[in-house]
């Protein structure tokens, strides 16, 4: 009887851990996909594409800020080239 109770508790604990990991992994994957789509739009010349709103204090947030700075730098460089050609 005690063994069965422990097995149920262990099973529930493992299921809970699995669900937490599944949720976290899906959340992380979706954020990375959004960043990848945004970076792809920038690479195709869509400099006016809206920045991805991922305000976080982890590495994904740092990557978002870096891509935002890159987009602005590219936009400024293109404007400079256009004014030099005029």
């Amino acid at each position: 009887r005690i063994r069965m109770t422990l097995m149920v508790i262990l099973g529930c604990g493992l299921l809970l851990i699995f669900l937490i990991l599944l949720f976290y992994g899906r959340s992380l994957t979706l954020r990375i996909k959004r960043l990848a789509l945004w970076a792809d739009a920038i690479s195709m010349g869509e400099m006016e594409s809206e920045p991805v709103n991922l305000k976080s204090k982890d590495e994904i947030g740092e990557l978002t800020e870096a891509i935002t700075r890159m987009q602005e730098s590219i936009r400024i460089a293109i404007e400079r080239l256009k004014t030099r050609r005029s």
Side-chain angles (χ1 to χ4, degrees), residues 19-35:
L19 291 174
I20 290 170
L21 289 175
L22 182 68
F23 175 76
Y24 180 74
R26 183 164 169 77
S27 171
L28 185 63
T29 303
L30 289 175
R31 293 182 342 171
I32 291 172
K33 283 183 181 181
R34 287 177 57 198
L35 281 176

Side-chain angles (χ1 to χ4, degrees), residues 1 8 16-17 19 23-25 27-28 33 35 47 50-51 53-54 56 58-59 64-66 73 75-77 85:
R1 180 176 163 145
V8 168
L16 182 63
I17 290 171
L19 291 174
F23 175 76
Y24 180 74
S27 171
L28 185 63
K33 283 183 181 181
L35 281 176
M47 292 300 129
E50 288 293 318
N53 188 13
L54 293 176
S56 61
D58 59 2
E59 289 82 4
T64 302
E65 291 175 15
S73 296
R75 185 180 309 138
I76 290 169
R85 288 185 176 181

Side-chain angles (χ1 to χ4, degrees), residues 25-79:
R26 183 164 169 77
S27 171
L28 185 63
T29 303
L30 289 175
R31 293 182 342 171
I32 291 172
K33 283 183 181 181
R34 287 177 57 198
L35 281 176
L37 288 173
W38 181 38
D40 191 44
I42 293 170
S43 75
M44 297 300 223
E46 297 177 24
M47 292 300 129
E48 302 305 320
S49 63
E50 288 293 318
V52 175
N53 188 13
L54 293 176
K55 305 248 187 232
S56 61
K57 296 180 181 181
D58 59 2
E59 289 82 4
I60 300 294
E62 291 177 19
L63 182 58
T64 302
E65 291 175 15
I67 294 174
T68 302
R69 288 190 305 272
M70 178 188 68
Q71 182 183 28
E72 186 61 27
S73 296
I74 293 171
R75 185 180 309 138
I76 290 169
I78 289 172
E79 288 175 10

